[in-house]
Structure formats: structure tokens, C-alpha cells
Amino acid sequence: MASFASFTAPSAATAAAYPKTPQLSAATKPPTHITHHYSSPAGHRRRTRQPLHITCDSTAPNNTPVPDNPSSPTSRRDLLLGLGAGATTALTLDPFSAALARPVRGPSIEACVRATAGDQTFACCPPSFAGVDIMDFQLPSASEPVRIRRPAHLAGLDPVWLDKYKRAIKAMRCLPNDDPRSYIQQARVHCAYCNGAYVQADDTNKGLQIHYSWLFLPFHRYYIYFYERILGKLIDDPTFALPFWNWDHEDGMPIADMFKDTESPLYDPLRNPAHQLPTSLLDLDYNKRQPAVRTKEEQVRVNYAVVYNNMVSGAKRRLEFFGAKYRTGSAVPVRQSSGSCENLHNPAHIWVGDSSRALGEDMGNFYSSGRDPLFYVHHGNVDRLWNVWKTIGKFRFDFDDYDYLNASFLFYDENAKPVRVKVKDCLDNKLMRYDYEERPLPWRNFQKTPASSATVANIFGGEKTANAAEAPAVELTPLTEFPLALDSVVSVSVARPKKSRTAAEKEAQSEVLVVYGIELQGDKVVKFDVVVNDDPANPSGPDKFEYAGSFLNVPHDSMKFATNLRLDITDLVGDIGADDDDELVVTLVPRVADGPVTIAGVRIELQN
């Protein structure tokens, strides 16, 4: 077992980070202005964009979701997600007892409420399940054809397949809005699970959130599985397969051309236009307000480094890759920790979304992400990388925890029937009768380089070497000053649990850097980098030894929450020559902060 496999009871310093006051008002603030999905947001100059021309019966252009704008907002429960008027529950880091064996069974559909994003509320609940028999998921027959998912930039070159894809999306857009398979309802699935509409079926005082935990990967696997089958059903093709955005390969890093055709049902006008140019490569180190100026070769190298960090060096074990354990009764405001695969996927959401809009629609906010066909293609690659991760090293296998295997979700299938699914039935995608075209993994053996010749002693005021004799010392922040607001670069010396570890010890236990008690508002973009034994005045990027990883929050609901960032630094310590050091200097580098962020502390632990 890990020294700190999950959250520990808070220290006095950590507890002080969480004020004992309500985190939400009793009623959600009503929208003061909600623009039409295809209108230019107030205060922003409208950019020229070609409209879609899709003919079907619909009350909204292209049958896309339109935010509700009621004359008076639907009230939110006082106990929404366990907090409300008069609540005194602080955001704590108390662990939930695994001995109770309570897998998340959810959501409670009949208790669904309006979702939140910023100061607006949205209707994201599905059609009611009342009086309808919910089926338990059955794996498809072994005689069913296997759907082969191809990289989007190659699949789009096949005119026959592309015609099928367009017809399927158009057919989905043209379904009645109350059909659970419709474009609107499919988009609302992600909104409901991610933006505070749902509560847990077995604990309706606690909200349900599928990010920041081990639920992230299995939920999205099922989500795109049913989405794909619905599309195939609508064009009567049981072999139809979605493409995947192959952004872990140089050739697939741009948005595929088929998504840029303004006359196509695959187009979404609410994307950042600067990132749809032929020369625009997805930036997996995207900082929103601090765009990097890189050559194509530099961007490809950075992207490969980010994938390597999150798939290889920084994700040797399950907890770091999948995210923290999440059981019924766990409080949503404490979103334990996301896994490296979720961290890897986050920048694409912000990079694609329209940054001129307050909520970053469509891809830039979880409530609206499902409106963009590119969302499902993006998650196809995330799903594919789940499979890849399990093939590239020891200890890379799925959780066998009862509560993980039996966690469940509710979806509508291709026949518009409600289905209850469990995680244990989705661990082998081949049994679900879909697979991925094999692609090269150019990031697999990525070679990092050292940041500089300066030593930690040079930078932080110890013994100086000749080549850095004039280097100014940088003041370290004592751990006793945490919790603190992360509004500037912070460097802190952190004790290691064990130094001079043997190769066998490193294989048996990973050394994990934990930035804990990260408190922020859920609807804000927040990003910071973490570097080790590095110059805080010139912190390293993802392709350097000293870079440990990044935290990036994709906006979703309006809750204040706390979480952890777990980074495997076993390889990093060896690369920087710090195996025999008692302590490491950890530097937190703010990159984007749309709202305040507080850090409760930093520690290093050993993880089995």
C-alpha cells in the first residue's frame, strides 16, 4: 500500500485552507444574459463565420442545444452537491472508508437538477426514466462485426466513409429534441455528469462528478461507445466506426480537414479560429493567455514530451494514471485527484474552445463540449491511449477494486432504451466489438534533455560553481507558510521519504510528488507547472529533465473544490542526479489563473 494512497486527514495548516463557511449561496444566480448558441457573445466583436446549412425540422439552427433562459431560474437544492445555505461543511481531505464497499451507482435521474457554468444554469437532464425498465448492459454478440476506428486525418480521405459520417451526424441533428439519441440529448449527457446536475443514486446529498477520479476513463469509453452505435443505427450500418484524433502523432496533430468544412454537419462555429488554420498544431502545453511561439518542429517535440510524461515516465502505476478512488458517499467538492491520462487530455479542450466567449464554448467547458463532433474524436484517442498504456511497462493494469469494477452509469442505447452499465464490462474494448487501427508511437522512447548546467546550490544560495558564481540566490518558501495563494512562482524544499534507492526499490515503489489541497473554483481555467531542482526565473518546459508535470482545470460547474496533483518523479530524480539528495526543491509556476487558487502543501511519498 502507498504511504498516502488517498487523502489523509488534514493537518492544522491544511484545515486552515478551507474556511468554514458556505461555498455556494442557497440559490444559483440567474443568468443576466444568455446569447443564442450561434450568436456573438455580448462585448465581443463577431468574427466572420459561415453558417451551417442543414435541412431538418428543428427549433434551433442545426438542432443544436440552446441554453435555457427562464424568466425565473429553477432553484437549486440547498444541499446541492452537499453544500448550501447555512452549510458549515468545509472542503476537507478526509478519506472515505473502502471497507464499506460502496461503488458509485448512479446517477439518480429523477433527482437531476439544472447544471451550472459560470453564473448561468442549463437544462441538461435526460428524458425521465420513470416507469421505464432499465436494462443491464450486455456485451455484444461475438458474431457482431468489429468496428475499426481510424485516425481522423486518414479516415477523412475516404469519400465513402466520410459521406457515411456526415449523414450519420446530420441524422442525429435532425432527431426530435426529446429523443434521447438526438444531438441535443447526446450533448447533455456530458453536461449532466460534469456540471453538477446529478446526485449519487445511493446518497442524494452528494453530487456526482466523473472527472478527477478513476471514473474518467470508463465513463467516456461508454459514452462514445453508445454515441458511435447510435450513429451507426441511424444510417443502418453496424460496421460504422468513429475516427480518433491522433494527436500523439505529428501527422494527426492539426484538426482534420473534414471538421473545418463550414458546410458540413461536422463543423462547429464555436472553436478558436486561430487553431483551425492548416498550420495549427494542437498544443498539449497550451497556456491560453501565454501562447507559445514555436516552430513546427519545436511544437511536435513539446507535444511528444507531454505525451511521454503522462503515459510513460509519470504514469508507472494505476493511481497516477487513472486517478484517485471514488466511492458512493465521497463528497464532490473534494475531487481527490485526476490521473495523468485525464491531465494529458485537458489542454485540447481549452485549445479548441472559443476563447472569446465567457464560458469558452464549445469544447472549452464541459457543459458544452458534447456539442462539438470533435469532442468524441478527441476522446477516441484518449480511449485508445488507455489501451496503449497497459502495453508499455510493468504494473500497468486496471484496478481490481470491487468498487471500481462495479461502479455504474446510465445511458440510452442505439434503440433509445435506458441501459445500466458497469465498469467491469468495458475493460476489454475488443469484447465491445470495436478496435483501433494500429499507429506508430513516436513518443514512446522520447529523450529529454537537461535544462542547464546550473546546480540547485547555485540557484538557491549554497556552494557556487565557477560557471555560476554571480548567480543570485532565490529565497525558498518555508513549508510552514502553506496554505498559500498561488499568485506568483513559489519554490519550496521538500524532504524525500528515502534517498539512494536501489533499482529494485524503484521498481517496487514509485517516488511520487504530491501537490495537495489545490483549492479553486470549478468554472475557472487554472494552470500551473511543477519543476524540480530548476531555476524558478527560467522554469523548464515539458521536454526537460526538471519538468515534473502540469495541473490544468477545464471549466465545468460553479463549485469551489479541492484536489491533488500526483506526479511520478522516479525517473526525474535519476535524470537530474538527485538520487542521493535528502530533499528536492519543488517550484510551482502559475501559467493561467482566471480565478484564485490556493495550495495547502507539497510532499513526496512512495507508491506501490
Side-chain angles (χ1 to χ4, degrees):
M1 297 297 292
S3 305
F4 294 91
S6 60
F7 281 88
T8 59
S11 65
T14 302
Y18 306 114
K20 296 181 177 175
T21 56
Q23 305 298 328
L24 285 182
S25 59
T28 301
K29 181 180 178 181
T32 56
H33 175 71
I34 302 180
T35 57
H36 191 280
H37 181 62
Y38 285 100
S39 298
S40 174
H44 292 287
R45 178 175 58 85
R46 182 173 177 81
R47 292 190 290 260
T48 301
R49 284 173 171 157
Q50 297 296 321
L52 290 168
H53 300 293
I54 301 172
T55 303
C56 57
D57 294 331
S58 173
T59 57
N62 317 314
N63 211 19
T64 51
V66 179
D68 286 349
N69 190 9
S71 57
S72 60
T74 301
S75 62
R76 305 279 281 167
R77 281 194 297 277
D78 285 348
L79 289 178
L80 172 64
L81 307 188
L83 296 172
T88 57
T89 303
L91 301 185
T92 65
L93 304 182
D94 292 329
F96 182 83
S97 173
L100 296 178
R102 297 182 68 192
V104 170
R105 283 198 324 109
S108 176
I109 297 293
E110 300 310 317
C112 185
V113 297
R114 293 172 65 84
T116 66
D119 62 357
Q120 301 181 20
T121 65
F122 299 86
C124 292
C125 298
S128 174
F129 286 4
V132 179
D133 291 334
I134 301 175
M135 303 180 298
D136 288 325
F137 175 72
Q138 299 293 323
L139 285 166
S141 167
S143 63
E144 184 175 303
V146 177
R147 303 166 191 259
I148 302 298
R149 297 176 180 173
R150 301 192 64 212
H153 68 285
L154 297 179
L157 301 178
D158 179 348
V160 175
W161 174 86
L162 182 55
D163 178 68
K164 289 181 179 181
Y165 190 19
K166 290 179 179 179
R167 286 193 292 112
I169 294 292
K170 178 178 177 179
M172 179 180 279
R173 288 181 182 271
C174 293
L175 288 174
N177 292 354
D178 59 355
D179 188 320
R181 304 168 301 166
S182 71
Y183 193 75
I184 288 178
Q185 294 296 343
Q186 287 299 298
R188 285 178 172 177
V189 171
H190 201 253
C191 176
Y193 275 97
C194 308
N195 281 70
Y198 281 151
V199 292
Q200 299 172 29
D202 289 338
D203 191 341
T204 55
N205 286 333
K206 299 290 174 62
L208 180 62
Q209 171 61 255
I210 52 82
H211 291 88
Y212 286 98
S213 78
W214 64 7
L215 297 184
F216 170 77
L217 283 170
F219 168 83
H220 287 91
R221 171 165 286 184
Y222 273 123
Y223 186 15
I224 60 176
Y225 169 81
F226 286 115
Y227 180 84
E228 178 179 69
R229 292 177 71 89
I230 291 168
L231 292 176
K233 179 81 171 183
L234 292 174
I235 58 172
D236 195 25
D237 183 355
T239 68
F240 175 78
L242 284 167
F244 62 92
W245 186 2
N246 191 194
W247 39 252
D248 63 308
H249 189 283
E250 176 181 352
D251 295 344
M253 288 177 186
I255 296 175
D257 289 342
M258 61 181 164
F259 295 102
K260 301 174 185 175
D261 178 2
T262 59
E263 298 297 321
S264 170
L266 305 178
Y267 181 70
D268 185 343
L270 296 188
R271 297 183 191 140
N272 189 324
H275 296 158
Q276 299 195 84
L277 302 175
T279 56
S280 296
L281 274 62
L282 171 63
D283 183 0
L284 291 174
D285 186 41
Y286 187 54
N287 288 331
K288 186 181 176 184
R289 292 202 185 91
Q290 301 168 351
V293 179
R294 302 184 180 114
T295 65
K296 177 180 178 180
E297 291 73 20
E298 289 170 339
Q299 185 63 65
V300 170
R301 176 173 171 79
V302 166
N303 284 352
Y304 286 165
V306 173
V307 180
Y308 176 84
N309 288 334
N310 286 281
M311 289 288 293
V312 183
S313 64
K316 296 179 182 297
R317 300 175 192 274
R318 295 177 293 187
L319 195 63
E320 282 66 55
F321 180 75
F322 287 95
K325 301 176 181 181
Y326 180 32
R327 313 176 195 276
T328 288
S330 297
V332 167
V334 178
R335 296 173 189 175
Q336 305 281 41
S337 65
S338 56
S340 65
C341 195
E342 181 175 355
N343 294 338
L344 173 61
H345 116 291
N346 285 343
H349 274 274
I350 308 298
W351 187 84
V352 174
D354 186 349
S355 58
S356 73
R357 296 176 65 91
L359 297 180
E361 293 98 334
D362 274 336
M363 276 279 281
N365 196 299
F366 286 152
Y367 98 88
S368 54
S369 292
R371 298 173 178 176
D372 191 338
L374 197 58
F375 167 87
Y376 306 91
V377 178
H378 172 45
H379 273 277
N381 201 42
V382 175
D383 185 69
R384 164 183 164 265
L385 291 177
W386 178 3
N387 292 345
V388 171
W389 177 80
K390 290 189 281 189
T391 69
I392 57 177
K394 280 188 175 184
F395 312 115
R396 295 169 180 261
F397 37 80
D398 294 297
F399 282 104
D400 54 4
D401 188 301
Y402 176 90
D403 286 358
Y404 177 71
L405 298 176
N406 290 280
S408 62
F409 316 105
L410 293 174
F411 292 94
Y412 276 97
D413 68 7
E414 65 270 26
N415 299 310
K417 302 296 184 183
V419 180
R420 178 182 294 107
V421 302
K422 290 187 176 181
V423 169
K424 64 183 179 182
D425 291 323
C426 78
L427 301 183
D428 186 344
N429 64 282
K430 294 182 179 179
L431 295 179
M432 301 172 78
R433 310 305 291 169
Y434 77 88
D435 207 353
Y436 292 94
E437 182 177 296
E438 189 170 345
R439 292 289 293 159
L441 306 175
W443 45 266
R444 174 64 182 85
N445 296 306
F446 184 84
Q447 297 296 312
K448 290 190 168 190
T449 57
S452 69
S453 61
T455 66
V456 178
N458 298 336
I459 297 168
F460 293 95
E463 181 181 350
K464 293 181 172 63
T465 59
N467 69 334
E470 303 304 321
V474 176
E475 184 178 354
L476 291 172
T477 299
L479 281 171
T480 54
E481 291 192 11
F482 286 84
L484 52 74
L486 187 61
D487 50 15
S488 61
V489 175
V490 174
S491 295
V492 59
S493 182
V494 184
R496 299 174 64 201
K498 191 176 191 302
K499 69 174 184 177
S500 305
R501 296 200 302 147
T502 66
E505 288 175 320
K506 290 180 180 179
E507 181 171 302
Q509 289 185 307
S510 290
E511 188 166 0
V512 178
L513 172 62
V514 184
V515 183
Y516 62 92
I518 306 168
E519 185 178 313
L520 67 153
Q521 205 74 26
D523 57 359
K524 305 300 182 185
V525 177
V526 169
K527 181 181 181 183
F528 62 84
D529 294 343
V530 184
V531 295
V532 177
N533 286 12
D534 199 15
D535 182 355
N538 187 30
S540 297
D543 61 335
K544 303 301 183 183
F545 287 154
E546 291 80 0
Y547 174 90
S550 293
F551 174 88
L552 173 61
N553 180 63
V554 180
H556 46 289
D557 64 41
S558 303
M559 293 293 296
K560 178 182 281 190
F561 72 98
T563 189
N564 285 352
L565 175 63
R566 301 179 58 85
L567 302 170
D568 190 321
I569 58 171
T570 307
D571 290 351
L572 181 155
V573 171
D575 288 340
I576 64 176
D579 279 316
D580 298 330
D581 292 352
D582 293 304
E583 297 181 333
L584 299 175
V585 174
V586 177
T587 300
L588 309 181
V589 185
R591 295 298 189 187
V592 180
D594 286 349
V597 55
T598 300
I599 307 295
V602 184
R603 65 172 180 254
I604 298 173
E605 62 192 39
L606 299 179
Q607 168 68 42
N608 290 351

